[in-house]
């Protein structure tokens, strides 16, 4: 199969990287080291936003990998740790003018202070498998962001039966999210029928009035998923909090008894400006784990151990360095 040559102009484009970190020191190390391995030539700075609390299950400080990357690869790392922990709560709009509070919103430090034209946002529990930044740069075009579009597995418009009955068309999908635009009445009907047919949907419809009735599209599950996406910061920064009135990328917004997920409200604001996003097929580019030290300690431990196994295979120099810093013999872990 013929390999497509990258555009020589995008091949030298520098981007900043933003992570929000809740503990997971070994997964964080793997995420960053795998990113640097495959995408080093594109990276200018790395913005590391640490939650003000961590996990009681960790033996390694999650700040350590930052020191290694700075020393070994000469990539500047900019850490921050807010005093406030928003956790999974809705962002308090009344406090957006308070910088101390605002900096507790996920990824906010990078969105507010980066001088780069492009910002790669990623989770700290992924493994980068190949050059995702280079290929995203090659494909982003005039989009405001590129990544996996939508949490379609939670959306009634993805269901073939519901889409045909309510919208008279085939199901929505990431690549055609901008082609399925139900009216407010149809949006309500999609959620109503889903519940009647015992098809899982999140209860956003209980909070549609006052928000989705004014603008029913993009849909409640539409966003560019922040576990790995590239944002055209030059296009969006001027209207992003605090420079404009767009809802912050990393904030939750109330909708019914729960919150719209991270990036949904921001994604909707981007489309209100007439911008568009581009879907990117993540297959083969990342592996994504989930689980936190708060709610799933067993799964958290498994994922940290999985990360350690991969570090042992692929990043032996880092583990040797880490052993010298911590005194921990990881061969016995």
């Amino acid at each position: 199969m013929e390999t497509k040559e990258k555009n020589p102009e995008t091949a030298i484009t520098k981007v900043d990287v933003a992570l929000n970190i809740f503990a997971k020191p070994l997964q964080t190390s793997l995420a960053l080291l795998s990113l640097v391995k495959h995408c080093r030539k594109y990276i200018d700075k790395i913005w590391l936003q640490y939650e003000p609390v961590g996990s009681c299950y960790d033996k390694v400080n999650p700040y350590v990998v930052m020191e290694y990357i700075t020393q070994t690869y000469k990539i500047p790392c900019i850490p921050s740790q807010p005093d406030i922990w928003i956790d999974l709560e809705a962002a308090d709009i009344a406090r957006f003018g308070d910088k101390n509070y605002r900096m507790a919103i996920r990824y906010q430090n990078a969105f507010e202070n980066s001088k780069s034209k492009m910002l790669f946002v990623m989770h700290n529990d992924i493994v980068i498998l190949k050059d995702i930044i280079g290929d995203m740069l090659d494909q982003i075009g005039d989009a405001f962001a590129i990544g996996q579009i939508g949490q379609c597995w939670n959306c009634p418009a993805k269901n073939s039966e519901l889409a045909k009955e309510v919208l008279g068309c085939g199901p929505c999908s990431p690549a055609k999210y901008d082609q399925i635009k139900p009216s407010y009445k149809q949006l309500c009907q999609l959620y109503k029928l889903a519940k009647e047919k015992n098809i899982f949907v999140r209860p956003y419809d209980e909070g549609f009035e006052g928000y989705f009735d004014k603008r029913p599209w993009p849909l409640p599950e539409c966003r560019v998923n922040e576990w790995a996406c590239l944002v055209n910061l030059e296009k969006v920064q001027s209207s992003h909090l605090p420079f404009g009135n767009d809802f912050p990328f990393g904030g939750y917004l109330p909708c019914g008894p729960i919150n719209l997920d991270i990036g949904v409200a921001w994604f909707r604001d981007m489309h209100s400006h007439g911008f568009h996003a581009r879907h990117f097929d993540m297959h083969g580019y990342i592996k994504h784990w989930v689980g936190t030290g708060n709610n799933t300690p067993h799964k958290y431990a498994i994922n940290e151990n999985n990360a350690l196994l991969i570090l042992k295979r692929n990043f032996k120099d880092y583990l040797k360095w880490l052993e010298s810093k911590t005194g921990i013999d990881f061969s016995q872990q």
Side-chain angles (χ1 to χ4, degrees):
M1 180 181 293
E2 184 179 352
T3 302
K4 180 184 176 183
E5 293 293 330
K6 286 187 173 64
N7 184 323
E9 293 183 4
T10 60
I12 59 172
T13 299
K14 290 287 188 176
V15 311
D16 278 4
V17 176
L19 289 84
N20 188 80
I21 298 169
F22 174 85
K24 305 180 185 177
L26 298 178
Q27 291 173 77
T28 300
S29 297
L30 180 58
L32 285 167
L33 292 173
S34 63
L35 176 74
V36 172
K37 176 183 178 180
H38 294 289
C39 305
R40 179 182 178 183
K41 65 183 178 181
Y42 303 105
I43 301 172
D44 190 10
K45 301 180 181 67
I46 301 176
W47 300 76
L48 302 152
Q49 188 166 323
Y50 290 86
E51 298 283 12
V53 295
S55 169
C56 62
Y57 305 103
D58 296 323
K59 298 177 181 178
V60 178
N61 189 319
Y63 277 87
V64 174
V65 67
M66 177 182 68
E67 181 181 348
Y68 180 80
I69 288 175
T70 302
Q71 291 179 0
T72 306
Y73 301 108
K74 311 305 178 187
I75 298 174
C77 293
I78 305 170
S80 65
Q81 188 167 37
D83 300 324
I84 300 165
W85 191 30
I86 296 178
D87 194 14
L88 303 178
E89 301 169 11
D92 187 349
I93 296 174
R95 300 178 68 183
F96 282 176
D98 177 358
K99 185 175 182 179
N100 190 46
Y101 176 82
R102 196 169 65 243
M103 287 301 166
I105 300 170
R106 289 169 177 81
Y107 313 109
Q108 181 63 26
N109 193 25
F111 269 85
E112 188 162 331
N113 294 305
S114 173
K115 305 302 181 186
S116 177
K117 293 182 178 180
M118 295 284 180
L119 181 67
F120 183 72
V121 180
M122 61 183 282
H123 272 195
N124 68 324
D125 55 3
I126 65 172
V127 185
I128 304 294
L129 304 175
K130 59 182 180 179
D131 182 9
I132 189 170
I133 291 181
D135 287 347
M136 282 185 166
L137 283 169
D138 215 37
Q139 296 178 39
I140 190 170
D142 61 352
F144 73 86
I146 185 170
Q148 182 176 335
I149 301 295
Q151 299 182 101
C152 303
W153 49 91
N154 294 324
C155 183
K158 175 66 166 58
N159 183 278
S160 299
E161 179 185 355
L162 296 179
K164 182 177 181 179
E165 184 171 348
V166 178
L167 305 176
C169 64
C172 190
S173 66
K176 61 177 184 179
Y177 83 96
D178 56 350
Q179 300 173 31
I180 308 295
K181 298 182 178 181
S183 66
Y184 177 59
K185 182 179 179 180
Q186 289 173 320
L187 179 61
C188 292
Q189 186 70 0
L190 281 170
Y191 274 79
K192 180 176 181 292
L193 285 178
K195 290 180 176 180
E196 289 176 357
K197 296 176 184 291
N198 292 318
I199 297 169
F200 175 80
V201 288
R202 295 197 269 197
Y204 291 136
D205 54 317
E206 297 176 34
F208 280 171
E209 191 172 345
Y211 190 54
F212 281 93
D213 55 345
K214 298 177 182 177
R215 189 156 44 96
W217 183 87
L219 304 180
E221 300 290 359
C222 280
R223 68 170 187 171
V224 57
N225 292 302
E226 95 278 10
W227 49 72
C229 66
L230 184 68
V231 176
N232 185 331
L233 199 59
E234 186 176 41
K235 183 184 287 281
V236 309
Q237 191 176 44
S238 62
S239 60
H240 190 280
L241 183 75
F243 310 110
N245 296 319
D246 291 340
F247 200 80
F249 176 94
Y252 292 101
L253 182 72
C255 189
I258 61 174
N259 298 322
L260 293 173
D261 218 331
I262 285 178
V264 171
W266 174 79
F267 191 80
R268 286 169 56 80
D269 281 347
M270 293 301 95
H271 285 82
S272 73
H273 298 311
F275 298 159
H276 70 279
R278 181 156 288 126
H279 175 62
F280 185 89
D281 185 355
M282 291 289 179
H283 181 73
Y285 282 91
I286 69 169
K287 177 177 174 57
H288 186 209
W289 289 311
V290 294
T292 71
N294 265 2
N295 303 318
T296 54
H298 179 65
K299 189 171 186 178
Y300 179 90
I302 290 174
N303 289 346
E304 278 291 275
N305 186 62
N306 285 340
L308 177 59
L309 293 174
I310 298 173
L311 289 168
K312 286 179 178 179
R313 289 199 301 268
N314 299 304
F315 299 99
K316 296 177 182 178
D317 288 346
Y318 172 67
L319 281 184
K320 184 177 180 180
W321 178 88
L322 191 58
E323 288 177 355
S324 71
K325 295 290 292 185
T326 63
I328 298 173
D329 182 359
F330 288 100
S331 66
Q332 303 301 315
Q333 300 294 309

